[in-house]
Amino acid sequence: RHPPLDGGHPGELVQAETEPEWPPGTAAAEHALTFGHLVGELVRRVDGRSIGRFVAEEIARPWRLDLGFGLSPDDQRRCAELEYGDPAWPHAMLGEPGSLRRRGLGNPTGCLALDVLNGPLWRGAEIPAVNLHATATALARLYAGLIAGGVLDGVRLLRPETVAEAVRVQYDGPDLLLDPRVRWSLGMPVEEDGTWGMGGIGGSVGYADPGRGFAFGYVTRRLADLERVGALVEVVERLTS
């Protein structure tokens, strides 16, 4: 448990039996903290392994990706210590009190607090929506394998048709948490220019540009917005045009 940034109840959790806030299929809002638990539970019930073990054994190991959930003590010692790019960033990120954004990013509390993020409990936990620990190279290699239709360094993990379905637009419309129009695939936005990927809370990003034929990975320990990534993307796109 951690004292909430917005004055709510410490350790407050959304209960599984909570009624939907709108009829299913009528609106969309990013599950910023909980989407990974939904997917992880599907993996556990089908496969029997936790999402962290599954990712390690079925994805990271065969593709030689330096990433994972639920880090060992040795891997925790490799982690960078996070800090705020601006002391006001966590409060600005949460949005207005009572807003859907604050409820989506602040329940449960702690995911924007440095003493939680830099601590052994967080690094050793499996919170698959928000606590993947990875290098930029690992993110880029992951997306490179997806661009190639599910094969990397001669090791195939997915069929091309599986990748195509995963990045197909499933929803096109406003997102009630993110505000602007979003074209959602199975877990990540698809932009109008055909690129797809995901930006993380705090400014880290991984994405693929099939048209230009490159994959992009950026990680940072200074938690802030995505403006820094935008400048890097402009340079990469100029070099690959």
Side-chain angles (χ1 to χ4, degrees), residues 27-29 171-177 179-182 184:
Y171 170 82
D172 187 345
D175 186 294
L176 302 184
L177 188 141
D179 295 329
R181 174 192 173 200
V182 176
W184 280 110

Side-chain angles (χ1 to χ4, degrees), residues 65-68 78 132-141 205 217-219:
L65 305 179
D66 191 5
L67 55 76
R78 301 171 56 217
L132 177 72
H133 290 77
T135 65
T137 299
L139 290 182
R141 282 178 54 81
V205 170
Y218 171 80
V219 299

Side-chain angles (χ1 to χ4, degrees), residues 195-213:
T195 59
W196 35 265
M198 196 69 192
I201 301 171
S204 296
V205 170
Y207 80 95
D209 189 329
R212 294 183 176 88

Side-chain angles (χ1 to χ4, degrees), residues 54-92:
F54 183 88
V55 167
E57 296 177 356
E58 300 293 338
I59 300 174
R61 186 177 301 164
W63 274 6
R64 294 184 294 110
L65 305 179
D66 191 5
L67 55 76
F69 300 103
L71 302 185
S72 68
D74 285 342
D75 282 331
Q76 290 191 34
R77 284 189 283 271
R78 301 171 56 217
C79 292
E81 291 292 305
L82 302 181
E83 61 183 42
Y84 296 140
D86 180 341
W89 175 82
H91 297 279

Side-chain angles (χ1 to χ4, degrees), residues 31 188 211:
H31 281 233
M188 54 190 170

